[in-house]
Amino acid sequence: MQYQAGEFDVIVVGAGHAGVEAGLAAARMGANTLILTLNLDAVAYMPCNPSVGGPAKGIVVREIDALGGEMGRNIDKTHIQMRMLNTGKGPAVRALRAQADKFLYQHEMKKTIEEQENLLLRQGMVEKLIVEDGVCRGVVTNTGAIYKAKAVIITTGTYLRGKIILGDLAYESGPNNQQPSVNLAYDLKEHGFNLVRFKTGTPPRVQGDTIDYSVTEIQPGDDVPRAFSYETKEFHLDQLPCWLTYTTDKTHEIINQNLHRSPMYSGVIEGTGPRYCPSIEDKIVRFSDKPRHQIFLEPEGRNTSEVYVQGFSTSLPEEVQLDMLKTLKGLENVKMMRPGYAIEYDAVVPTQLWPTLETKIVENLFTAGQINGTSGYEEAAGQGLFAGMNAALKSSGREPIILDRSEAYIGVLVDDLVTKGTNEPYRLLTSRAEHRLVLRHDNADLRLTEIGYKAGLIPEERYQRFIEKKAQIKSEIERLDQITVKPTKEVQDALTEIGSSPLQDGFKASVLLKRPEITYAFIENLFPSEHEVSPEVAEQVEIQIKYAGYIEKQVQQIERMKKMDDKKIPENLDYNVISGLATEARQKLSEVRPLSVGQASRVSGVNPADISILLIYLEQGKLQRTKESGAHE
């Protein structure tokens, strides 16, 4: 028996990391929003590692915060450890990583949702979409509730026809034995969506007080305040350490003896797994020359003894997992609390999406997160925020937001998905971003706050602080450009003390700062500013001056690429009428339907010759339209 359950501007299906960001973003932009989820006790659940951030991913979290999203604020409130990674390398690859109290993270995110104006959180299993004349008008749950909406966002994660596999055992399930979503997958197929089968996995959890940490290596957090969010003012310094141990010859021996029982090698698993996060059995086979592999022991929270065995993802039988764990140094007497497992699930082929994450097949329907073929909480949250913004804009008849590859890692992520697709669970890497020197952890606010503010996600007070910060950076760079550092005794002694060459002549302070060994603090000590300079401003001044030449080169590359992205392609262009295009290019372009020449150039299988032909065709069409327009006049 069906019944009318309500009307909304935006409905979000799922409340994982994509769903919560989508719902919060839409509601904060003024859209009357509903989040429907299978289980209210699993909101923002972390089914895999209890951490946020890391290379590339940490930058995404900063971008989410700069746009007005929630993940950064939430992990700042609920982390048990925070570390800046790659501090010995350049700023383009530095990134924060935090260990989460996974239970507190969930609790705080659910509380935030419950307190958000314009947002209703409700338990319910969506089984069908309401589609009329190719337009999504709402959803229907398994209890017969009909919810109408102007836009719908599906963020089902790994629950879509989920199947848990553990040794010979296989059964329908979402992560950690949650209820799976089955009928919605079939409904999507009925509407013409092409789905693929992906796989991911998780390691066992063990009881912390059965580990001998004295024979492992401690991995402490940073002893200086760190935060993902630009709004965080209170810092947790009472951190819990993680610990490092290694696999042994005995570990490898047990795995090799039981490979025939691994679902990966016995053919039980059909889905494609993530290349950059292999199971421990896959590591042993693929890297058989390595005598050992790192295993990190990560606490799951302050009020639990559960420890996550990072790097030990496996779907081998339960008893084999316990035998394997006991071969690790420090875990000889360990007690396993939960076994690891593999999970298969359905994902949408992401080339069926526009760059706004709206589907091409059904209007007003958006998808975000692991349903789009990605892996990781951060990639999901970034897509969720982006889809939530565009769904809210679409529901109110406003123009969409598209993030360029040169503006954000979120832009790189979305463009890769919708333009190239993915044949395995996609993971963000710094190497995927050709403009990574301008897409840094430290400047996410400078890149994206303006966009978040215009969308209505950044409050006025925060925006004014941002404007002030930009002005301070500009003022301080100008000040250093005007200071001449002369070879006085004080200056020469200071340079000698840090191992820097003495001056032969006068230098501008900004030029001196370009020396690798010279820091902003060194210059500031010699030539103090009249105004207090915050650490954030000082960091920007130093990076922008030191890397000015490299940044300028990237900006020039970006400008050249923008010219290609500014050349728009009609949405329904018939590529079959363009003579000279290679057959593969014609097929791929017809499938992806790029919106610009720049996007077309990034489609797999399209070569420079095809782009030249496309440019000529578009130019001829433009010329023809101009002539026709002139004739009418």
Side-chain angles (χ1 to χ4, degrees), residues 473-491:
I473 294 166
K474 183 173 182 287
S475 174
E476 189 59 10
I477 289 175
E478 288 173 351
R479 185 180 81 88
L480 297 188
D481 279 337
Q482 292 165 5
I483 294 172
T484 301
V485 183
K486 296 177 181 177
T488 63
K489 185 177 186 308
E490 181 191 8
V491 169

Side-chain angles (χ1 to χ4, degrees), residues 16-56:
H17 301 282
V20 297
E21 292 291 352
L24 287 166
R28 287 167 178 168
M29 289 170 66
N32 182 22
T33 306
L34 169 69
I35 297 178
L36 284 166
T37 186
L38 293 170
N39 184 356
L40 289 185
D41 298 325
V43 170
Y45 179 63
M46 292 181 163
C48 205
N49 53 321
S51 69
V52 166

Side-chain angles (χ1 to χ4, degrees), residues 62 225-226 235 442 469 472-473 520-521 532-543:
R62 292 280 273 189
R226 303 278 191 200
F235 301 90
D442 61 84
K469 177 182 173 180
Q472 288 174 354
I473 294 166
Y520 172 83
E532 185 180 348
V533 178
S534 70
E536 294 81 13
V537 169
E539 179 184 44
Q540 281 307 304
V541 170
E542 182 168 331
I543 289 173

Side-chain angles (χ1 to χ4, degrees), residues 267-554:
V268 174
I269 291 178
E270 300 169 10
T272 306
R275 179 194 309 258
Y276 300 103
C277 190
S279 66
I280 188 64
E281 50 264 41
D282 201 22
K283 285 184 200 173
I284 301 305
V285 171
R286 283 166 55 186
F287 308 107
S288 56
D289 56 318
K290 282 198 170 187
R292 63 179 191 172
H293 295 272
Q294 288 185 329
I295 304 295
F296 290 94
L297 306 173
E298 303 175 347
E300 296 228 312
R302 295 183 188 275
N303 299 307
T304 177
S305 67
E306 275 193 85
V307 172
Y308 181 89
V309 189
Q310 166 76 357
F312 213 74
S313 178
T314 182
S315 54
L316 279 163
E318 195 169 329
E319 71 277 13
V320 178
Q321 291 187 31
L322 184 57
D323 288 343
M324 289 157 55
L325 285 167
K326 289 187 172 182
T327 65
L328 305 178
K329 199 169 183 181
L331 278 72
E332 291 85 355
N333 299 306
V334 79
K335 291 182 180 177
M336 185 168 70
M337 297 180 73
R338 306 185 203 217
Y341 59 83
I343 183 167
E344 283 189 343
Y345 56 95
D346 283 349
V348 168
V349 174
T351 51
Q352 298 168 107
L353 308 174
W354 296 114
T356 57
L357 293 185
E358 183 179 13
T359 72
K360 297 171 183 174
I361 295 169
V362 177
E363 191 180 348
N364 291 356
L365 178 66
F366 296 74
T367 58
Q370 285 189 257
I371 189 175
N372 287 345
T374 57
S375 65
Y377 312 142
E378 304 84 357
E379 289 94 333
Q383 290 175 73
L385 173 70
F386 187 61
M389 292 168 73
N390 278 314
L393 291 168
K394 187 80 187 279
S395 71
S396 59
R398 288 178 284 171
E399 285 297 305
I401 289 171
I402 295 177
L403 291 174
D404 192 81
R405 295 181 70 89
S406 62
E407 290 178 310
Y409 267 92
I410 298 172
V412 173
L413 164 65
V414 172
D415 185 62
D416 277 354
L417 290 173
V418 306
T419 304
K420 301 174 183 176
T422 183
N423 55 13
E424 62 187 54
Y426 176 101
R427 180 180 180 179
L428 258 180
L429 306 165
T430 52
S431 59
R432 295 192 192 272
E434 61 272 35
H435 307 305
R436 56 188 170 274
L437 189 53
V438 298
L439 304 182
R440 305 186 308 274
H441 159 92
D442 61 84
N443 71 348
D445 60 334
L446 300 177
R447 292 184 276 118
L448 299 171
T449 302
E450 196 79 44
I451 295 172
Y453 175 69
K454 286 178 180 175
L457 289 172
I458 299 293
E460 186 64 37
E461 182 191 354
R462 178 175 172 182
Y463 182 67
Q464 290 306 321
R465 289 200 309 270
F466 162 72
I467 293 296
E468 189 178 330
K469 177 182 173 180
K470 277 178 68 175
Q472 288 174 354
I473 294 166
K474 183 173 182 287
S475 174
E476 189 59 10
I477 289 175
E478 288 173 351
R479 185 180 81 88
L480 297 188
D481 279 337
Q482 292 165 5
I483 294 172
T484 301
V485 183
K486 296 177 181 177
T488 63
K489 185 177 186 308
E490 181 191 8
V491 169
Q492 303 291 47
D493 287 349
L495 289 169
T496 301
E497 191 176 333
I498 62 168
S500 190
S501 305
L503 300 182
Q504 303 300 321
D505 206 344
F507 273 100
K508 294 294 183 188
S510 54
V511 175
L512 186 62
L513 184 53
K514 289 178 184 289
R515 289 188 180 184
E517 70 278 8
I518 302 292
T519 63
Y520 172 83
F522 177 88
I523 302 287
E524 172 68 8
N525 191 47
L526 287 171
F527 305 97
S529 172
E530 293 178 7
H531 310 285
E532 185 180 348
V533 178
S534 70
E536 294 81 13
V537 169
E539 179 184 44
Q540 281 307 304
V541 170
E542 182 168 331
I543 289 173
Q544 289 186 28
I545 289 176
K546 269 193 188 300
Y547 296 92
Y550 299 104
I551 292 171
E552 180 56 34
K553 283 182 181 177
Q554 286 223 332

